[in-house]
Amino acid sequence: MKDVRVTHIGGPTTLIEVAGWRILTDPTFDPPGHRYAFGWGTSSRKLSGPALAAADVEPVDAVLLSHEHHADNLDGAGRKLLARAPVVVTTRAGARRLDGRARGLRPWATTELTAPGKPSITVTATPCRHGPPLSRPVAGPVIGFALRWETQEHGVFWITGDTVLFRGVREVPERMTVDTVLLHLGAVRFPLTGRLHYSLTAAEAVELCRLVQPRTIIPVHYEGWSHFTQGRDAVAEAFAATPDNLGQRLHWLPLPSQGTAG
């Protein structure tokens, strides 16, 4: 996408720079080594640290937070950053838990990012289901984000959020044209629930991108945590096997290198 710069900080955390805006997604800045409980007997250990410290990323104009109740999308250092962010956009339940410091959106609702001297950006919340059918009471609500601004030429910038492939995300290409997709992957699994997965598998990602047909695919949320079961190799292999050359649209951003848990 023209005039957009995306920096991968680690896991789902990216800095999106466009038209003078600095937009941060799912802030995770804790060092590696700690184990985090995700509820219902599940947990994960952080294996690698962020490529940049929060102080190196700030100031930011807005934070897009797909959900605030899992530490691989919002950790302790990320929560401290939220308090300094002028705008936070997240789920309605998340906004309530953040004591009203965020704008809460339900799927397909919109909000505007506005600032003097910058073009406005329309943020549309897109559906997510963070696990198999009927898992929402356990996994909690999640949203993705579609960003639209005046100078876009080919379509929106879409951040999928943590989701599996289901009817809700299949609706995205029916409602909008996507130029670039920030694709949350990892095929998250936990020993407690066996082969059930809670984020896109490589095969699901291929199927989704065939539906969406983005010009640019940026994989994130596939490394740095023990509950990810598919990394870069599995994703690259799945996309390389497609007859329509979807693999040529993959853009791998540099991986975090600041720290690794022993």
Side-chain angles (χ1 to χ4, degrees), residues 131-133 164 186-201 203-204 227 229-230:
V164 297
V188 165
R189 290 190 174 94
F190 299 100
L192 184 68
T193 52
R195 295 192 58 79
L196 294 177
H197 63 279
Y198 298 85
S199 63
L200 288 171
T201 66
E204 286 180 333
H227 63 319
T229 65
Q230 290 184 334

Side-chain angles (χ1 to χ4, degrees), residues 2-243:
K2 184 179 179 181
D3 300 326
V4 179
R5 176 175 178 172
V6 181
T7 302
H8 189 193
I9 296 167
T13 310
T14 64
L15 178 66
I16 302 167
E17 298 173 88
V18 57
W21 287 93
R22 293 171 60 83
I23 300 172
L24 190 68
T25 67
D26 286 355
T28 55
F29 290 96
D30 282 357
H34 187 68
R35 180 169 289 277
Y36 299 81
F38 289 163
W40 297 84
T42 63
S43 66
S44 182
R45 184 167 180 254
K46 189 169 187 179
L47 302 177
S48 61
L52 297 170
D56 297 324
V57 174
E58 293 178 289
V60 299
D61 301 300
V63 174
L64 303 180
L65 179 60
S66 65
H67 57 301
E68 41 61 59
H69 52 281
H70 291 155
D72 60 328
N73 296 86
L74 180 68
D75 57 19
R79 286 183 182 273
K80 293 179 180 179
L81 183 147
L82 284 190
R84 302 187 292 270
V87 178
V88 178
V89 184
T90 190
T91 64
R92 296 180 72 197
R96 289 193 296 270
R97 286 192 289 264
L98 292 170
D99 298 325
R101 293 185 292 108
R103 303 181 191 178
L105 299 181
R106 59 163 56 95
W108 303 120
T110 65
T111 190
E112 294 285 326
L113 302 181
T114 60
K118 300 175 185 178
S120 62
I121 297 180
T122 301
V123 180
T124 301
T126 59
C128 293
R129 194 184 77 204
H130 200 358
L134 306 179
S135 63
R136 178 168 171 149
V138 176
V142 182
I143 54 173
F145 304 96
L147 310 184
R148 187 186 301 277
W149 56 89
E150 287 183 0
T151 57
Q152 284 176 325
E153 296 179 354
H154 301 287
V156 302
F157 188 108
W158 181 33
I159 304 155
T160 65
D162 287 5
T163 187
V164 297
L165 185 60
F166 77 114
R167 179 180 54 80
V169 291
R170 293 177 189 272
E171 291 179 7
V172 171
E174 298 174 2
R175 292 176 177 245
M176 56 187 68
T177 300
V178 176
D179 180 83
T180 298
V181 59
L182 200 68
L183 196 62
H184 285 216
L185 296 160
V188 165
R189 290 190 174 94
F190 299 100
L192 184 68
T193 52
R195 295 192 58 79
L196 294 177
H197 63 279
Y198 298 85
S199 63
L200 288 171
T201 66
E204 286 180 333
V206 166
E207 185 176 348
L208 178 59
C209 288
R210 279 178 168 161
L211 293 172
V212 174
Q213 288 297 313
R215 296 199 311 158
T216 303
I217 303 166
I218 303 175
V220 296
H221 198 261
Y222 60 87
E223 43 65 44
W225 290 81
S226 62
H227 63 319
F228 294 159
T229 65
Q230 290 184 334
R232 175 170 176 163
D233 290 348
V235 175
E237 182 179 354
F239 275 87
T242 60

